[in-house]
Amino acid sequence: MDDLLPQLLSFPPHPAPAQKLSDSDYEKRVKSIVKLLNGTSASQLVRGVGGGGDLLDILDPAINTLPYLYTLLAHISNNQDAKQGGASVAKAFPPGEQLWQKMLVFMESFDPVQVRYAGAQWLSLVETVARSAETSQKPITAITPIRTAMLRLDPSTSCFTSTHLLFVRLCLHTKAFQDALPILDNDIFHFPTVDHNPRSSPPQLSEQHESSYAFITTSSGLSQNLNYQDHLRYFLYGAMLYLGLKNWKRTLLFLELVVVSPAINTASMIQVEAYKKWILVGLLLKGRPMVMPKNTNSQAAKFMKAIGKPYEVLANAFKDKNSEKLYAEFYAAQNVWQNDCNMGLVLQVLEASRRFRILRLERIYAAIPISVVAQLTSPQPENHAETEAYVTSLIASGQLNATLGPSTDSTKGSMLRFSTTSTGGPLARSETQQFEDLTRQTAKFVQLSKHIKATERRMELSKEYVDWARKNRRNKANGDSLLNHPLYSNDGYGIDEDLLADM
């Protein structure tokens, strides 16, 4: 160990040299360290240093990220309980113990560039933390460190990995709805792809990349192999987390991504489950039944509609604005809602029917007495006080842009006055607030545009696209050639001419 330690501490240079290492020099140095660590046995790494002490107490995880990571894994693999797997891992490294704390320190401070060269080891540590927390019956203790590790590796978390699925599953299990948002709120734009195209130069992992898909690949080790159902589960679990926060807009988006996912002849049961919830959330957000997205596979749509028939019947009763019919359909299919674990969501739909009846009054009235509101919308038309309290709760929660005040006719009680513009009423927004909203939306659009262009670039460099382009060139009579499409024009993101020069 005394001979090995200087080599482990040699990279990266510390203190940092005045002139930063070039990407190529960095690549050579870091690969030599990885080669050294791969050739060092676990027993050597856990043996300790001269004079006593653990190697983990000497290494700094923020600087000596790779040796620290390999040493952590060496401690795990050398532990007899951990070797047995399962519940024994929790016995070996329970939350709160010394090695557990060192794992958390690493996940909070590792160098995100160095771990790109040891993706499988990084992922192994993340999964060990999750497994230890779950088998110790303390899964919530793994949420913050895993989220921190994900954001350190890829601040955008825009490339889907197996860790995404692991994280949302833990959050759903522990009902940590709010804790999931730093990951869930980041949109997924990419999936791990095969390594670089042989027609182009391979990217260096140490470079500054526009997107994480450049270093999160199928062979990087930073993700387990993903399949079609992993993608569906992530968005279904994410939707259920948003449901817990009553963020209907994001819930509907996530569910729709599951519903419209490509399918062959029939839908998966994950899609069926999403479709049922999609109908209910559409009622909660829009106040009307949703139309099946046009890009849904036709055979899958028929399958989902057949199994989700009770939900469609309920949605149609909601649309008819007939409370008696709505409640009749609710009671007729109580076993369905219960067996599907959607009872709570259906009950919210029943409550929402009254809310949307009140909101629709805005289209007809500028002001209306509470007594009339009660007659038109309340299950207890004579209880004006209950209706006033309900309307007050809608205003206070920001669901109704209106005010309650005294009526000029004292016999009619309070008067509900609707605010028809965004600059009036309790939900009024100043020009500054509207400008800030516009700025945020513009920033999102710019980000989306960058990801779209990056995806187009990847498509144009793929073997499939180049083969297609070669065949298309032979058929110049095709006036609708994709090469002439504005998306693939030579604006800096078009296909490189030299790729086709020798075809």
Side-chain angles (χ1 to χ4, degrees):
M1 175 56 70
D2 290 341
D3 295 332
L4 180 63
L5 184 59
Q7 298 179 67
L8 298 180
L9 294 174
S10 66
F11 179 83
H14 188 72
Q19 185 174 1
K20 185 180 176 182
L21 290 175
S22 67
D23 288 333
S24 57
D25 287 340
Y26 186 97
E27 189 104 353
K28 292 176 183 176
R29 298 279 297 276
V30 73
K31 285 183 175 179
S32 67
I33 288 292
V34 171
K35 183 178 180 180
L36 173 65
L37 289 166
N38 284 333
T40 304
S41 66
S43 58
Q44 282 182 280
L45 292 173
V46 301
R47 189 176 299 162
V49 295
D54 193 330
L55 188 57
L56 293 176
D57 296 326
I58 297 175
L59 299 171
D60 184 342
I63 299 173
N64 316 112
T65 293
L66 292 173
Y68 198 97
L69 173 58
Y70 273 78
T71 305
L72 273 176
L73 294 176
H75 278 281
I76 294 170
S77 64
N78 255 32
N79 188 286
Q80 292 301 316
D81 288 322
K83 287 179 181 179
Q84 299 174 27
S88 296
V89 175
K91 180 181 176 183
F93 319 114
E97 292 300 319
Q98 185 177 10
L99 192 60
W100 168 270
Q101 294 298 333
K102 290 185 182 298
M103 288 191 277
L104 299 196
V105 169
F106 174 84
M107 295 170 79
E108 292 171 356
S109 58
F110 67 83
D111 180 347
V113 176
Q114 289 187 49
V115 297
R116 296 176 188 176
Y117 296 86
Q121 289 75 15
W122 178 88
L123 181 61
S124 176
L125 185 67
V126 170
E127 291 176 343
T128 298
V129 168
R131 188 166 59 250
S132 179
E134 285 187 291
T135 52
S136 297
Q137 305 299 313
K138 299 176 182 178
I140 198 168
T141 59
I143 290 175
T144 297
I146 291 178
R147 184 185 64 208
T148 301
M150 292 176 69
L151 291 171
R152 284 192 69 79
L153 175 69
D154 173 17
S156 71
T157 59
S158 61
C159 187
F160 183 59
T161 67
S162 57
T163 312
H164 282 73
L165 183 58
L166 171 65
F167 176 75
V168 295
R169 182 177 59 78
L170 284 171
C171 289
L172 191 59
H173 181 203
T174 58
K175 298 183 179 180
F177 308 122
Q178 200 71 36
D179 292 332
L181 294 185
I183 301 299
L184 279 184
D185 284 348
N186 291 341
D187 293 325
I188 299 291
F189 292 102
H190 309 286
F191 292 87
T193 57
V194 295
D195 285 336
H196 75 279
N197 191 288
R199 301 174 187 272
S200 60
S201 300
Q204 290 185 325
L205 297 180
S206 59
E207 291 177 356
Q208 291 291 329
H209 299 285
E210 288 187 0
S211 178
S212 54
Y213 75 78
F215 59 85
I216 300 179
T217 65
T218 53
S219 60
S220 66
L222 292 168
S223 173
Q224 299 283 6
N225 291 331
L226 298 167
N227 58 40
Y228 171 68
Q229 290 193 336
D230 292 332
H231 163 260
L232 298 182
R233 286 194 185 98
Y234 174 77
F235 286 106
L236 179 59
Y237 294 167
M240 294 169 73
L241 288 164
Y242 278 125
L243 272 178
L245 296 169
K246 296 188 177 182
N247 185 337
W248 309 129
K249 188 175 181 180
R250 290 288 287 183
T251 300
L252 194 68
L253 171 63
F254 272 49
L255 292 173
E256 188 165 314
L257 289 171
V258 179
V259 170
V260 303
S261 290
I264 300 176
N265 298 327
T266 188
S268 73
M269 292 311 296
I270 299 175
Q271 288 178 288
V272 172
E273 177 64 26
Y275 178 68
K276 295 173 181 178
K277 288 180 167 58
W278 178 77
I279 292 174
L280 298 175
V281 175
L283 296 175
L284 290 169
L285 180 64
K286 305 288 187 179
R288 55 178 169 76
M290 300 290 291
V291 178
M292 180 72 77
K294 292 182 180 180
N295 52 338
T296 308
N297 177 278
S298 59
Q299 293 300 317
K302 289 179 182 178
F303 184 75
M304 288 186 282
K305 289 171 77 70
I307 297 183
K309 191 66 176 177
Y311 293 85
E312 293 191 342
V313 171
L314 184 75
N316 289 328
F318 187 101
K319 180 182 67 174
D320 293 341
K321 308 167 191 174
N322 186 325
S323 296
E324 291 183 3
K325 182 179 179 181
L326 180 64
Y327 275 86
E329 297 297 347
F330 163 71
Y331 289 118
Q334 278 193 93
N335 289 339
V336 175
W337 324 134
Q338 200 73 49
N339 292 337
D340 291 345
C341 298
N342 284 330
M343 179 61 81
L345 202 52
V346 173
L347 291 174
Q348 291 185 70
V349 167
L350 298 181
E351 188 278 329
S353 66
R354 182 183 182 187
R355 169 164 53 90
F356 279 104
R357 287 200 299 274
I358 293 175
L359 291 175
R360 280 191 285 267
L361 295 176
E362 182 182 359
R363 304 174 189 172
I364 306 170
Y365 304 95
I368 182 174
I370 280 293
S371 58
V372 179
V373 175
Q375 292 172 11
L376 296 174
T377 66
S378 176
Q380 306 173 55
E382 303 303 321
N383 192 343
H384 300 172
E386 187 277 336
T387 299
E388 184 169 347
Y390 180 73
V391 170
T392 300
S393 69
L394 293 181
I395 295 172
S397 62
Q399 299 178 74
L400 178 62
N401 194 18
T403 56
L404 274 172
S407 172
T408 53
D409 185 347
S410 59
T411 62
K412 294 183 178 180
S414 300
M415 182 72 73
L416 178 64
R417 293 181 173 83
F418 296 103
S419 301
T420 57
T421 66
S422 61
T423 56
L427 300 183
R429 299 183 64 77
S430 65
E431 288 187 8
T432 301
Q433 290 173 316
Q434 294 184 45
F435 178 76
E436 290 173 351
D437 288 343
L438 182 61
T439 301
R440 281 193 292 270
Q441 292 300 323
T442 301
K444 286 183 179 180
F445 177 79
V446 171
Q447 181 192 39
L448 177 61
S449 177
K450 288 180 179 179
H451 284 290
I452 290 174
K453 289 180 178 179
T455 300
E456 289 170 1
R457 178 67 174 171
R458 290 168 66 192
M459 289 176 63
E460 292 170 355
L461 292 176
S462 68
K463 179 180 183 299
E464 292 78 8
Y465 180 86
V466 174
D467 289 345
W468 177 89
R470 179 171 52 191
K471 292 177 182 178
N472 193 67
R473 274 194 157 196
R474 294 171 184 168
N475 185 13
K476 294 184 179 180
N478 183 1
D480 294 328
S481 169
L482 187 59
L483 288 174
N484 297 325
H485 193 282
L487 282 177
Y488 294 94
S489 61
N490 190 17
D491 60 353
Y493 294 92
I495 188 165
D496 292 340
E497 289 294 326
D498 58 292
L499 290 178
L500 303 176
D502 58 348
M503 295 183 182

